[in-house]
Amino acid sequence: MTDEERLQAEQRARKRIDDQLTQAGWIVQDLKNQALGAGRGVAVREVTMRSGHGRADYLLYLDKGVVGVVEAKPMGKTLSGVEWQSTMYAEGLTDAQKMRATMTAGKLPFIFEASGSETHFTNGYDPNPRAREIFNFPTPAALAAIIERAEKHPDAPTWRASVTQMPPLDERALRPAQVTAIKGIERSLAEQRFDRSLVQMATGAGKTYTAVTASYRLLKFGGFKRVLFLVDRNNLADQTGAEFANYRTPDDGRRFTELYPVDKLSSSSPAESSNVVISTIQRVFKTLKGEPVPEGDDAMLDSIVPEKPVSVSYNPAMPPDTFDLIIVDEAHRSIYGQWREVLEYFDAHIVGLTATPGKQTFAFFRQNLVSEYTYEESVSDGVNVDFEIYRIETKVTANGSTIEAGTTVPMVDRRTREKRMETLDEELEYTKKQLDRAVTSTSQIRLVLETFRDRLKTEIFPGRTEVPKTLIFAKDDSHAEEIVTTVREVFGRGNDFAAKITYAAKDPKGHLKKFRTSPDLRVAVTVDMIATGTDVKPLECVFFMRDVGSGQYFEQMKGRGARTISRSDFMAVTPDAEAKTHFVLIDAVGVTEHEFVAPPLNREPGISLERLLKKAAAYELTEDETATMASRLAALERQLTDDERAELDGVAGDGMSVTQIVRGLVHAVNPDVQVEIADGAADPRQAVQRLLDDAIAPLADNPDLRNRIMELRRQHDRVIDEVTRDELLRAQGVSRDEGPSALVESWRAYLAEHRDEITAMQFLEESRNRHIPFEALDELARRIARPPHQWTTEKLWAAYEQLDAERVRPNNHARATDLVSLLRYSMELDTELVPFEDVVRERYEAWLLQQENAGTHFTDTQRWWLDRMTEFVVSSAGITVDALEAEPFTQRGGVDGALRDLGDGAGDLLESLNKELTA
């Protein structure tokens, strides 16, 4: 950059900095025209400091006393690393300047670096003060408030200091997962390693109550003055506001709103009037633009997702320091993309609450996951219920259809819904994706709903006399209208039986309240209004008549059915059922066949509880069966009376409750837990098996408990007749049962279809050896475990063993690395199917013999390293130097220990071993 270009950049920066200071309420003056009485906040340019400390670009005066300094840099210059210069000015006041200066730790408290395009701020009152980027300079009033607080509370002058001194959390009204989340948020705030915190908590586990509790503590003890609570839709603001209003403080029992005003953001309710402001991101954006914000619901406004990221400008009516904390509750993923600048406008810590964080969410929160509570864990704790999948498929749903030319068909105007008859000039062919958007097939809608009606009381909810509370997701308002009309006709019921609850419907909030509490309204049809955040606890059927492309959105929609409900409240609206034990996800469009859909905890729906208990007694449960056992016991617990539950817990003995047994089973099948156990074990397979065995032990070693479980199960069972009334392509509960021949054929077809997508296959085709990164195998294992296939290495191996017994070696403990053998055999690279462990160990013995023949003899110490390297290859399909820095190698010094015991040739030995074992 030339001197002239640098001068131009500096001049542009100074002009912008002047404008930014002016926007924030500072009066900018040259030193020769200095008039400190011109306003409360004055920024004076080019002020000479004490000898040896140079000349400050700007000194900030508050009430005629100097409080801060601004170091200006040319536009485009990075500001990190120049804090020493601004600090030099902050410490270099003349004696005259010090007379009316505010100081802390021997220097001015407020230090800024600015380039016009970027501003950094260091607050000297913070513990361990450090620079952070802010949108614009604070107002004079904001800095005055910081000083005032610092004088009143010298031990905790800012919230960053206060959060390090939080009192113990009162845990009495909180679930364990909520305790973990609140402590995680407060720990993250205190450590100040990140300016954002992410809480992953299963839908229905009490995210909002967690957020309300955290907000109360931070407002009362943490020095926070205002919280922004962002919801996905404005109608959820009412529900969130009710949570705040109903919250009783744990110390004196007063309502939250008695202490701290809570309001929805609108033009008539500006942010500064409340301690908690509830809004959608769209309404905050309108406020920043200075546009009026309506008080009522506006579906069009609150659902806007801009095509490209928005940009924001400074608004003195809502400056960046308006909020100290922003809580984002299950918002649309676009909030971290297109709306990101709105969030980053504020100088606030951001807390995200979500059940299903995606990659973009993790990235926005800088991977700072402060607590995690999975759906499976919530089922084991009785917080949520498990689900089952029931698939309905028709020809039109699967393939679309064709209407011949010359056919007279009804046409409906989308805007007015006016209907007219029209004869088609040409043949109309429509795909399944166009169904119910461009074309409505009344036959398809009717057939799906008739199938639901006919199978409802025999297969979906056997023995019921009334339709369970059912929520149907439609594609749009017109589709919802057709569904509601057809539901009433198919079931032969009136208007009170089924209703449309969409933004376009009349009195949607009234209908929603009735759907929650009335025994008459059984079916609700919605598009997006009840898709997220809305509680309908008695709901037992979540019915998808629209596809969903987002895993996060699907989980939120699915979560509408997950809520638990007390027996009395449930029977008040569904009197023909004793308890809500699970919900059923009715899939009429193939939504559960997406890869992002995780299977239920009930992974083996075809096996009986009695059979599971018998296998548990012999410690023969597979991992999937262990998960299924957890689901069945959790469902049984929902059916039991308090006396029956107490009796069962008594039979369990040793202070162990059935809930704790279920929790242990879920813990044992958690993939993250298994990875952690395996990584630190000499024999990862045995470590995982011990984990499963330990979880099963309370059942396996207690025959009295198993017998009592079955007695209670039979006591609550009903015997029914099955009736079939229609012909369909498919209409049954999703099952994993599949004959060996069909399974192998499906597996090979899957490999052929997805050859270009399966990384493990690409490695095999390119290298022709067995060295495949474990990540690629793990990715494939997870893919095939999802619906609709739900395959495991055990099932695939067993199928091949039944078909090709002479060429398949038995494998009693199949694992992810056995996918190497399965892939090679399926791709005809091997003529025999041999467990990966056997291959590795046989090759290891051959390698040792080869070394011995070459004159190399290993000591016992060296064999310790080589044996464990081999075990690592068995479980991970390969080994690198990085693996030596983990268990069990760290027991003997990791990489340094390997070099010590194996000598300088340790690297060559590892490479040779890796190459030979995976050849």
Side-chain angles (χ1 to χ4, degrees):
M1 181 182 290
T2 65
D3 290 343
E4 182 178 352
E5 289 172 334
R6 184 178 294 105
L7 180 61
Q8 290 176 349
E10 289 179 357
Q11 289 173 340
R12 289 199 307 272
R14 294 297 182 93
K15 177 65 171 64
R16 281 204 182 183
I17 293 169
D18 286 354
D19 291 344
Q20 290 165 353
L21 285 165
T22 302
Q23 286 176 338
W26 296 88
I27 298 172
V28 181
Q29 300 174 346
D30 290 326
L31 182 61
K32 65 180 180 180
N33 297 321
Q34 176 175 305
L36 299 182
R40 188 175 191 189
V42 176
V44 181
R45 303 188 192 96
E46 304 292 345
V47 180
T48 301
M49 309 304 292
R50 192 174 71 235
S51 176
H53 288 263
R55 186 169 59 185
D57 293 321
Y58 298 83
L59 279 187
L60 301 182
Y61 288 83
L62 182 66
D63 298 326
K64 303 183 181 65
V66 63
V67 297
V69 62
V70 180
E71 168 64 12
K73 291 297 179 185
M75 288 185 66
K77 182 175 179 60
T78 57
L79 299 180
S80 298
V82 301
E83 291 90 352
W84 66 271
Q85 193 172 354
S86 45
T87 300
M88 178 182 68
Y89 300 140
E91 295 172 338
L93 298 185
T94 64
D95 292 339
Q97 291 166 341
K98 287 181 180 179
M99 290 179 63
R100 293 179 60 90
T102 298
M103 307 278 283
T104 179
K107 58 179 176 289
L108 294 173
F110 306 123
I111 301 174
F112 300 87
E113 297 85 35
S115 65
S117 57
E118 193 177 8
T119 304
H120 286 192
F121 171 43
T122 301
N123 185 346
Y125 292 115
D126 284 336
N128 304 311
R130 67 168 181 244
R132 65 178 185 271
E133 185 174 356
I134 57 176
F135 190 85
N136 198 7
F137 295 96
T139 64
L143 295 188
I146 295 174
I147 294 172
E148 182 181 359
R149 176 188 162 91
E151 291 172 348
K152 288 182 179 179
H153 306 284
D155 293 336
T158 67
W159 71 252
R160 289 177 174 82
S162 294
V163 293
T164 65
Q165 307 169 29
M166 296 288 284
L169 174 65
D170 188 328
E171 302 178 10
R172 289 173 296 176
L174 299 168
R175 297 168 180 159
Q178 294 171 322
V179 171
T180 301
I182 294 167
K183 289 183 175 179
I185 292 170
E186 293 181 0
R187 182 174 59 254
S188 181
L189 286 164
E191 291 175 349
Q192 280 298 297
R193 295 175 182 171
F194 300 93
D195 57 353
R196 300 166 189 176
S197 305
L198 181 62
V199 173
Q200 180 181 357
M201 187 178 287
T203 299
K207 292 191 296 294
T208 306
Y209 190 86
T210 300
V212 174
T213 303
S215 298
Y216 169 70
R217 285 175 54 80
L218 292 172
L219 287 168
K220 181 166 185 177
F221 306 113
F224 283 49
K225 64 181 184 295
R226 192 172 295 113
V227 176
L228 173 62
F229 197 108
L230 290 175
V231 293
D232 198 22
R233 299 185 312 281
N234 193 55
N235 72 304
L236 293 180
D238 294 329
Q239 187 171 311
T240 303
E243 290 255 18
F244 276 97
N246 293 329
Y247 180 85
R248 294 282 185 176
T249 61
D251 33 28
D252 58 14
R254 286 193 286 175
R255 292 186 184 274
F256 188 104
T257 47
E258 292 179 49
L259 301 168
Y260 305 106
V262 177
D263 212 340
K264 294 195 296 184
L265 180 67
S266 68
S267 298
S268 61
S269 299
E272 62 269 16
S273 64
S274 304
N275 292 107
V276 176
V277 178
I278 306 171
S279 179
T280 61
I281 193 76
Q282 292 87 348
R283 291 167 186 257
V284 176
F285 182 56
K286 282 182 73 70
T287 300
L288 289 176
K289 291 199 299 180
E291 298 177 359
V293 177
E295 292 189 22
D297 292 343
D298 186 336
M300 187 169 294
L301 167 63
D302 296 316
S303 62
I304 290 174
V305 177
E307 293 183 0
K308 58 182 181 179
V310 301
S311 59
V312 297
S313 301
Y314 182 81
N315 185 339
M318 185 180 274
D321 59 4
T322 299
F323 303 106
D324 300 308
L325 179 71
I326 298 175
I327 299 174
V328 184
D329 186 13
E330 283 291 16
H332 188 276
R333 62 188 181 279
S334 64
I335 200 168
Y336 307 123
Q338 287 93 323
W339 296 110
R340 179 170 182 154
E341 196 165 318
V342 178
L343 291 176
E344 295 180 340
Y345 171 84
F346 297 103
D347 183 23
H349 191 93
I350 304 173
V351 173
L353 307 175
T354 181
T356 53
K359 291 181 180 179
Q360 189 174 24
T361 304
F362 273 119
F364 178 84
F365 284 96
R366 316 197 198 287
Q367 316 297 326
N368 185 30
L369 183 65
V370 300
S371 73
E372 183 177 13
Y373 187 57
T374 65
Y375 187 83
E376 291 78 10
E377 289 172 323
S378 73
V379 172
S380 71
D381 288 342
V383 172
N384 282 326
V385 295
D386 199 15
F387 67 99
E388 295 177 1
I389 299 172
Y390 193 88
R391 184 75 167 91
I392 297 175
E393 185 177 18
T394 69
K395 288 183 179 180
V396 172
T397 310
N399 305 314
S401 187
T402 301
I403 306 176
E404 295 180 357
T407 304
T408 301
V409 297
M411 291 280 191
V412 178
D413 188 294
R414 288 182 180 273
R415 296 164 299 174
T416 65
R417 291 200 51 80
E418 183 179 356
K419 186 180 292 186
R420 68 184 188 278
M421 301 303 295
E422 191 169 305
T423 302
L424 296 179
D425 295 332
E426 55 187 25
E427 181 179 85
L428 174 62
E429 182 177 349
Y430 61 91
T431 66
K432 62 180 181 179
K433 289 187 178 181
Q434 293 173 297
L435 185 64
D436 298 312
R437 295 195 185 276
V439 179
T440 295
S441 170
T442 55
S443 173
Q444 181 263 351
I445 293 174
R446 177 172 289 275
L447 181 55
V448 167
L449 293 173
E450 285 177 342
T451 303
F452 174 58
R453 176 200 65 195
D454 295 341
R455 307 298 175 90
L456 181 59
K457 300 173 186 178
T458 59
E459 297 181 17
I460 301 173
F461 277 97
R464 291 288 182 89
T465 58
E466 181 56 282
V467 176
K469 289 277 186 177
T470 299
L471 178 63
I472 302 178
F473 288 111
K475 294 179 180 178
D476 54 32
D477 198 73
S478 295
H479 188 213
E481 189 75 25
E482 294 288 345
I483 292 172
V484 168
T485 301
T486 310
V487 165
R488 293 169 181 167
E489 293 173 354
V490 164
F491 284 92
R493 306 285 280 271
N495 294 343
D496 289 343
F497 176 75
K500 182 178 71 171
I501 305 180
T502 66
Y503 292 108
K506 184 179 179 181
D507 189 23
K509 291 183 180 179
H511 278 310
L512 179 56
K513 182 178 180 181
K514 188 176 180 182
F515 188 47
R516 289 191 180 110
T517 60
S518 170
D520 299 323
L521 181 53
R522 309 307 301 173
V523 180
V525 184
T526 190
V527 179
D528 292 310
M529 184 173 171
I530 318 180
T532 63
T534 304
D535 283 337
V536 184
K537 291 184 178 181
L539 193 62
E540 291 186 277
C541 285
V542 178
F543 201 145
F544 282 83
M545 293 186 71
R546 61 173 284 194
D547 199 4
V548 181
S550 162
Q552 290 174 272
Y553 196 43
F554 169 80
E555 286 295 326
Q556 293 177 47
M557 296 166 80
K558 184 191 81 175
R560 299 314 97 212
R563 305 301 203 266
T564 56
I565 183 173
S566 69
R567 291 166 62 92
S568 58
D569 289 346
F570 181 63
M571 293 184 70
V573 294
T574 306
D576 66 333
E578 292 183 355
K580 179 178 176 180
T581 60
H582 68 288
F583 73 96
V584 178
L585 195 157
I586 312 291
D587 179 8
V589 291
V591 67
T592 58
E593 294 171 10
H594 288 302
E595 291 192 355
F596 55 67
V597 177
L601 195 57
N602 186 18
R603 301 178 189 175
E604 297 282 6
I607 189 170
S608 68
L609 178 58
E610 183 175 17
R611 176 64 178 156
L612 287 171
L613 290 169
K614 287 180 179 178
K615 295 191 73 172
Y619 285 94
E620 293 177 350
L621 287 180
T622 65
E623 182 178 331
D624 285 348
E625 289 168 344
T626 303
T628 301
M629 175 72 83
S631 176
R632 301 292 176 79
L633 293 180
L636 177 61
E637 270 222 298
R638 298 297 306 166
Q639 290 182 288
L640 301 180
T641 64
D642 291 341
D643 290 342
E644 288 171 336
R645 191 175 296 108
E647 178 192 353
L648 202 58
D649 289 346
V651 177
D654 297 328
M656 175 77 73
S657 69
V658 175
T659 297
Q660 290 172 317
I661 293 173
V662 173
R663 192 177 297 147
L665 294 171
V666 170
H667 180 77
V669 299
N670 185 323
D672 293 334
V673 173
Q674 292 184 356
V675 169
E676 185 177 346
I677 291 291
D679 284 348
D683 188 328
R685 178 184 57 78
Q686 287 186 4
V688 172
Q689 188 60 53
R690 279 196 302 271
L691 178 69
L692 294 170
D693 289 347
D694 289 345
I696 296 166
L699 293 167
D701 301 339
N702 192 335
D704 291 340
L705 177 60
R706 298 197 305 272
N707 293 335
R708 187 60 183 134
I709 286 172
M710 282 310 304
E711 289 172 6
L712 289 170
R713 173 68 272 170
R714 295 187 186 104
Q715 183 176 323
H716 289 272
D717 273 343
R718 296 179 181 180
V719 179
I720 51 92
D721 292 328
E722 295 187 356
V723 179
T724 303
R725 292 188 55 193
D726 202 352
E727 292 187 10
L728 300 167
L729 290 178
R730 184 155 45 129
Q732 76 281 331
V734 174
S735 173
R736 291 186 169 198
D737 293 338
E738 193 172 8
S741 179
L743 178 56
V744 168
E745 184 178 344
S746 297
W747 161 249
R748 285 176 171 161
Y750 178 86
L751 295 180
E753 181 181 354
H754 299 281
R755 178 181 297 271
D756 295 336
E757 305 167 22
I758 299 174
T759 308
M761 291 187 70
Q762 295 168 11
F763 272 99
L764 283 177
E765 289 174 341
E766 291 173 7
S767 64
R768 315 297 282 187
N769 63 25
R770 291 176 176 79
H771 183 49
I772 301 174
F774 183 77
E775 292 77 12
L777 296 173
D778 187 54
E779 175 194 10
L780 178 58
R782 291 176 183 274
R783 285 186 60 168
I784 64 176
R786 301 185 185 116
H789 306 296
Q790 297 179 281
W791 292 326
T792 63
T793 50
E794 293 94 334
K795 283 198 168 187
L796 292 168
W797 201 283
Y800 271 118
E801 192 173 356
Q802 291 181 56
L803 291 178
D804 302 331
E806 295 181 356
R807 293 189 293 167
V808 178
R809 190 181 298 181
N811 188 350
N812 297 323
H813 301 288
R815 64 184 82 196
T817 50
D818 284 312
L819 283 170
V820 176
S821 299
L822 283 166
L823 287 172
R824 289 182 61 86
Y825 187 66
S826 302
M827 296 167 65
E828 299 183 353
L829 296 176
D830 290 336
T831 57
E832 290 184 315
L833 181 56
V834 180
F836 186 75
E837 179 176 2
D838 292 1
V839 173
V840 171
R841 296 200 184 282
E842 289 167 7
R843 286 182 171 274
Y844 180 47
E845 293 300 326
W847 182 83
L848 287 173
L849 182 60
Q850 181 183 9
Q851 296 295 314
E852 185 176 342
N853 291 337
T856 302
H857 300 280
F858 298 110
T859 66
D860 290 344
T861 298
Q862 291 172 327
R863 277 295 301 268
W864 183 93
W865 285 94
L866 297 174
D867 289 349
R868 277 147 190 80
M869 288 179 184
T870 301
E871 289 168 1
F872 192 92
V873 173
V874 168
S875 61
S876 302
I879 187 169
T880 63
V881 173
D882 292 339
L884 301 182
E885 292 297 350
E887 287 287 340
F889 305 107
T890 51
Q891 297 173 12
R892 299 200 178 184
V895 171
D896 291 338
L899 289 170
R900 178 195 65 225
D901 295 340
L902 296 176
D904 295 337
D908 294 335
L909 274 175
L910 185 145
E911 184 177 346
S912 172
L913 194 63
N914 196 39
K915 180 179 179 181
E916 288 297 323
L917 299 189
T918 61

